Structures are given as C-alpha cells and as structure tokens.
Amino acid sequence: MSFFSFGQTAEIDIVLNDAETRKKVEHKTEDGKRDKYFLFYDGETVSGKINVTLKNPGKRLEHQGIKIEFIGQIELYFDRGNHHEFVSLVKDLARPGEMAQSQTFDFEFTHVEKPYESYTGQNVKLRYFLRATISRRLNDICKEMDIVVHTLSTYPELNSSIKMEVGIEDCLHIEFEYNKSKYHLKDVIVGKIYFLLVRIKIKHMEIDIIKRETTGTGPNVYHENDTIAKYEIMDGAPVRGESIPIRLFLAGYEMTPTMRDINKKFSVRYYLNLVLIDEEERRYFKQQEITLWRKGDIVRKSMSHQAAIASQRFEGSASSEKALSQAKDEDD
Amino acid sequence: MSEATVADTRRLNSKPQDLTDAYGPPSNFLEIDVYDPQTIGVGRNRFTTYEVRMKTNLPIFKMKESCVRRRYSDFEWLKNELERDSKIVVPPLPGKALKRQLPFRGDEGIFEESFIEERRAGLEQFINRIAGHPLAQNERCLHMFLQEESIDRNYIPGKVRQ
C-alpha cells in the first residue's frame, strides 16, 4: 500500500472461470472461524482471470512483471519461516513494463496435481492457493486466494473387522468387535462388546473418537490428541455373557480422512477408545486405530432401491430381503 | 451393480446369554463394613478399634467372609504399604485430627462420638475403594489387613496370585 499521493497502485482480483458452478465447502481457519472456499479435486484444471484495477486514474503503473502461481504448501506452526512447498506452478502474465489502464489477464493451470487434502490443525496447516503478484522495485502488489482440496477414495477391497479379546487377568475380560477397520466419513460404526468375565463393579461404558495429529520428526515428534466424540454405549453394571451393541454415526462429527506421513511432515490418525468406568471412577480403556476415508458423492439410484435397503435395517427381516432383490432387479 | 448409499446398521450377531449368568449373583460381589467402634483402655492410653467385616465372592480372597478388628494406625499402615509397593494412586484416609489430641479441649477430642462416626464413615469409604482396585487385590498387605486376625508389621511384602 502506498502512502504517498504521487505514484500509482493497483488492486488485484482473482476470479475463477467456473465460479458460478463450482461447489464451495466450509473449512476451518487457523483462528477457529469457518469460511467457505472453492472445492477442487486432484487433476482438475484451475483456470480464471485476474483483474488488475489501477487506483489513481490517469497515472501509469510501472512494474517488473506480473505472474500468477498455484501453490500447495505445508506450514508447521513451530517453524513458521519455512514453508514446505510440494506443488509450485507459475505462469507469467506480463513482461516488465507499464500499465496505462486497468487490465484483465487469463490464466490456466491444466490438470494440476493436488496429492493431499487441505488441512488446518493444531500445529500444522496444509493449504493450496493462487497467488497473483505484480513485481515492483520497492514493494510488490500481491493477492492470494485459498482453495480447498479433498482427496477421494473408493470402497477398499479389503476391509476386515476388528475383533479382539482384552482384559485384566482374573478381573475383567471382554471381547470387542467393530464391523470394519476402514470407515468413510459418513459411515456407521457397528460393533459389540461381549463380557466374558466381570469381577469389577462397572458403572458405565463409553466409546470415544480420538484424533491424533503428529508433527515433527526424530527426537522432535509432537503428538496432539483431541477427543472428537464421547458416546455412552452402556449405563449400568453388566454381567458375564452380556453383549452390548454399538452403533455410532460418524456423519455428526467433524473429521478428516486419515493422513499418514504427509510429505514426511505430519500425520493425522484416528482411534476408537473404549472406556469402562467403575464405581470408584477408575477407568479401563482399550484404544484401537481406525482408518477414515472420504467417499465421493454418488448420484442417487431409484427410490425403491433406497427404501428396500432402509427396511433391511431391522434385523432378520425376510420380506425386506425379498423387497431388496426385487428392487434391484427393477433397477438393473 | 448399484452401490448402497444407506449403511447397514443391523446389530452384529452375538451369543445368547446363559440364564444362570443373567439371573445369578454377579461375580463382582464385594462388601466391606466398618462399624462397632470400641474405645479400649483408660486415660492417655486409650484408642478406638473398629470392626472390619468383609463379604465377597471374588476368588482372589481366600475367605469369602472375614471379620477383624482394626484401629486407625492399621489403616495408615495399609495406605503406606500400598503407596510404596504398588503403582496405585491410593485414596485418602480421613484426617489424623492432631488438633483433637491436644490437651485442654472442651470435648472428648478424638473420642468424641461425632468425630468417631465421621472417621468410621471415612474409613469405610477408604477400604471399599481400595479393596475394589484390581491391582490392590494382588498385594499381600491388603489380604493380611482384611483377613488375618492381627497385622504382622514384620511381614514380607509381596504379591498374591489367584
């Protein structure tokens, strides 16, 4: 910004070509606010225009070049000076010269690779943005526009259930089972806890979802744990042979896909923590990692098929199974 | 093949529960009462003892019913033994009430009825909390405290196995 009444300055405005049709999503900023940004996927082209508007009419704008960059970078909060850029593309829009009037420049970054999902966390931020720069001798004029990238996956080929027997010898033995090890963000965790031996006085049981953000390497590894959800699944004292069902809908919680060793800089992993609390407030727990993934939106099939699947929610319904196969035949 | 967009939330299959397990006595029965305070001795050599009666069906305890007499310093001994030998955070005992043991008080000091009742309740809460702890149940000192007639302060500390 120029404080002198002589000289010229300009405003840059970045506009995407598909601004009208492209979907926007909410994303948390570093200070906790939620803003909406354009949503992109890996491989999509990023194209648009930058409008350079001269502030003082009649005066010329001298510059050392105008360019636009597409950047994907990881920023560690404890090392702010160093931005780790994993995607860095640049397009020159104008050679050094003079601008006599406001102008618009087109740009296109074709089929840009966006390998990771946008993430704003406790100690690290991964972001993608467009940056238009008018280079000048004393101070550049810059404008940034953030976008959000989601990484999509499909149903994993192998998705075994998690089933384990744990306990304290001669005191408490349980067998816990979760129907899958990989869940998408709108999935349901279906499971059960079976009590084999109960020699302590249990008051209640809950299942927590814990998000662990790991930053740093070697001796400077730092874990940040955040309990995303606490969900009580049992109130009261169970005895041997009892089975407690679990049905936990993930869509209600704010979560990201599991991110493993992103660019060797950070990880975001999710754990289910089964917690039993006894009469004296002692806590017994078992933590188990789950993998979360993001499913793409799918166009809905015929309503009858949907209704048939919904009726199948009630266990052991023979008529609903018949309705399902019938609806499926109608569909195909 | 069309992909289901509604998740299957049916319960997982589970073994039916045995009726004797469902309606029988639970395997975690443990009750300890601290009651019947008796002040023994005369003058400055008095002290109060309490009856500690335990009923349980936990297999780790050799006796399913036991009844012993303990005084406050016995409870202190147990707390110290557990703090030294185990990794447990031991619950607090009711206060030592040193002020009550000073002379020239208007009341009976530590032999005041209301104080004894307060202490009795605190000791009962203490012993129930610690006896239910799975790790404390492995300590010899706890078993000796609850089930042996007198506490041998020269015992060899150790673990109890089922």
Side-chain angles (χ1 to χ4, degrees):
Chain A
M1 226 195 275
S2 178
F3 293 106
F4 299 100
S5 56
F6 50 89
Q8 176 62 290
T9 185
E11 230 174 54
I12 308 175
D13 195 24
I14 306 174
V15 182
L16 295 178
N17 285 339
D18 51 11
E20 299 286 306
T21 51
R22 185 166 287 276
K23 192 161 165 232
K24 276 190 148 183
V25 285
E26 270 190 14
H27 192 79
K28 209 167 46 149
T29 60
E30 210 179 309
D31 46 13
K33 279 198 313 206
R34 305 185 62 80
D35 278 327
K36 286 196 152 216
Y37 301 94
F38 285 109
L39 175 64
F40 280 86
Y41 298 103
D42 188 17
E44 284 194 298
T45 292
V46 185
S47 66
K49 303 183 192 322
I50 71 159
N51 300 318
V52 181
T53 314
L54 300 180
K55 294 304 274 293
N56 301 326
K59 296 227 182 85
R60 288 164 181 275
L61 179 76
E62 268 185 49
H63 64 85
Q64 261 73 54
I66 305 179
K67 67 176 185 218
I68 184 154
E69 296 168 281
F70 180 85
I71 300 188
Q73 75 181 26
I74 297 172
E75 193 183 303
L76 293 159
Y77 295 173
F78 51 75
D79 187 20
R80 294 271 191 182
N82 287 327
H83 293 167
H84 305 275
E85 290 180 5
F86 55 88
V87 172
S88 181
L89 304 170
V90 63
K91 292 258 188 272
D92 286 315
L93 299 174
R95 277 191 310 219
E98 269 183 4
M99 263 177 74
Q101 58 200 14
S102 302
Q103 226 180 319
T104 295
F105 301 89
D106 287 294
F107 70 87
E108 179 175 300
F109 294 101
T110 323
H111 302 313
V112 186
E113 213 183 282
K114 304 175 207 75
Y116 311 120
E117 173 146 329
S118 296
Y119 176 74
T120 303
Q122 301 267 59
N123 291 310
V124 60
K125 181 157 74 170
L126 189 154
R127 61 187 272 242
Y128 295 84
F129 57 99
L130 286 161
R131 180 166 62 206
T133 310
I134 304 175
S135 301
R136 297 201 297 176
R137 254 179 307 118
L138 289 177
N139 53 342
D140 295 343
I141 303 170
C142 248
K143 184 75 195 267
E144 283 184 6
M145 182 177 107
D146 272 57
I147 61 157
V148 163
V149 172
H150 282 174
T151 52
L152 300 179
S153 306
T154 50
Y155 278 97
E157 283 207 13
L158 204 64
N159 199 352
S160 50
S161 65
I162 302 171
K163 191 168 175 170
M164 229 182 272
E165 199 184 298
V166 294
I168 301 173
E169 197 163 340
D170 302 320
C171 267
L172 174 69
H173 286 186
I174 59 166
E175 186 192 74
F176 70 87
E177 185 178 345
Y178 305 127
N179 63 330
K180 302 180 196 172
S181 36
K182 300 174 187 150
Y183 292 94
H184 62 80
L185 297 179
K186 307 255 184 288
D187 216 335
V188 188
I189 298 177
V190 176
K192 73 177 206 286
I193 309 294
Y194 179 74
F195 287 90
L196 292 149
L197 180 70
V198 191
R199 293 214 181 113
I200 54 169
K201 295 180 188 173
I202 298 171
K203 197 165 66 169
H204 66 100
M205 179 164 64
E206 67 185 40
I207 192 157
D208 301 343
I209 304 177
I210 297 177
K211 169 180 159 191
R212 180 175 300 162
E213 182 191 285
T214 304
T215 47
T217 50
N220 300 321
V221 169
Y222 188 71
H223 298 291
E224 189 82 49
N225 288 329
D226 186 22
T227 303
I228 306 247
K230 277 186 186 232
Y231 189 74
E232 186 177 86
I233 55 174
M234 177 187 84
D235 182 18
V239 291
R240 177 171 52 202
E242 265 188 87
S243 265
I244 304 297
I246 299 169
R247 189 178 282 149
L248 179 51
F249 290 83
L250 296 179
Y253 303 108
E254 224 175 85
M255 298 188 295
T256 70
T258 294
M259 299 170 88
R260 285 205 177 87
D261 205 25
I262 300 300
N263 207 232
K264 301 206 202 313
K265 295 274 175 291
F266 72 95
S267 294
V268 181
R269 302 167 93 127
Y270 290 87
Y271 301 84
L272 288 180
N273 200 24
L274 181 71
V275 186
L276 291 97
I277 297 126
D278 73 11
E279 297 269 323
E280 302 297 343
E281 305 295 324
R282 286 181 283 258
R283 299 163 72 87
Y284 309 75
F285 62 91
K286 174 74 186 121
Q287 214 173 82
Q288 191 62 42
E289 182 172 6
I290 52 167
T291 302
L292 295 182
W293 56 278
R294 188 183 289 280
K295 189 159 75 104
D297 289 326
I298 294 168
V299 175
R300 291 187 159 265
K301 295 282 180 173
S302 74
M303 274 311 290
S304 63
H305 193 190
Q306 294 303 306
I309 292 170
S311 77
Q312 243 198 338
R313 278 203 203 139
F314 298 96
E315 30 272 64
S317 171
S319 61
S320 66
E321 292 226 19
K322 189 155 166 260
L324 177 65
S325 62
Q326 212 166 32
K328 209 168 163 295
D329 288 336
E330 285 166 18
D331 232 23
D332 292 343
Chain B
M1 197 190 106
S2 55
E3 198 179 338
T5 55
V6 174
D8 184 359
T9 57
R10 288 173 297 176
R11 286 193 186 187
L12 298 180
N13 291 329
S14 54
K15 289 177 262 226
Q17 188 180 26
D18 196 55
L19 285 180
T20 50
D21 284 336
Y23 294 103
S27 341
N28 59 5
F29 180 65
L30 173 67
E31 264 174 28
I32 306 178
D33 293 311
V34 174
Y35 64 107
D36 188 29
Q38 300 284 346
T39 303
I40 302 172
V42 286
R44 264 192 253 154
N45 298 322
R46 285 179 294 170
F47 60 94
T48 308
T49 63
Y50 305 82
E51 188 161 307
V52 178
R53 178 155 65 193
M54 179 168 113
K55 289 200 178 103
T56 185
N57 65 358
L58 295 178
I60 190 129
F61 290 105
K62 270 209 287 277
M63 290 165 39
K64 298 307 154 210
E65 277 190 34
S66 66
C67 197
V68 295
R69 278 229 154 242
R70 297 284 179 252
R71 56 186 291 188
Y72 182 84
S73 53
D74 293 332
F75 284 83
E76 275 186 314
W77 169 87
L78 176 64
K79 181 168 195 279
N80 291 330
E81 292 297 299
L82 289 171
E83 276 173 346
R84 188 193 64 220
D85 289 340
S86 75
K87 300 188 196 92
I88 307 167
V89 172
V90 185
L93 277 172
K96 262 190 91 80
L98 289 168
K99 268 171 62 177
R100 282 186 175 262
Q101 293 177 49
L102 294 173
F104 310 121
R105 282 185 67 98
D107 58 17
E108 291 285 301
I110 56 170
F111 302 106
E112 184 71 31
E113 225 176 276
S114 59
F115 171 73
I116 287 179
E117 174 49 33
E118 216 180 275
R119 182 173 265 196
R120 184 210 65 75
L123 292 175
E124 190 171 80
Q125 193 182 68
F126 168 83
I127 193 64
N128 272 292
R129 278 174 82 172
I130 198 64
H133 196 303
L135 292 180
Q137 285 166 5
N138 291 335
E139 298 291 331
R140 281 267 299 283
C141 54
L142 179 71
H143 290 256
M144 188 158 73
F145 178 95
L146 286 170
Q147 307 205 309
E148 280 176 47
E149 177 135 2
S150 53
I151 294 176
D152 174 12
R153 303 224 169 183
N154 297 316
Y155 84 120
I156 301 158
K159 303 274 184 254
V160 173
R161 295 262 168 264
Q162 213 158 242

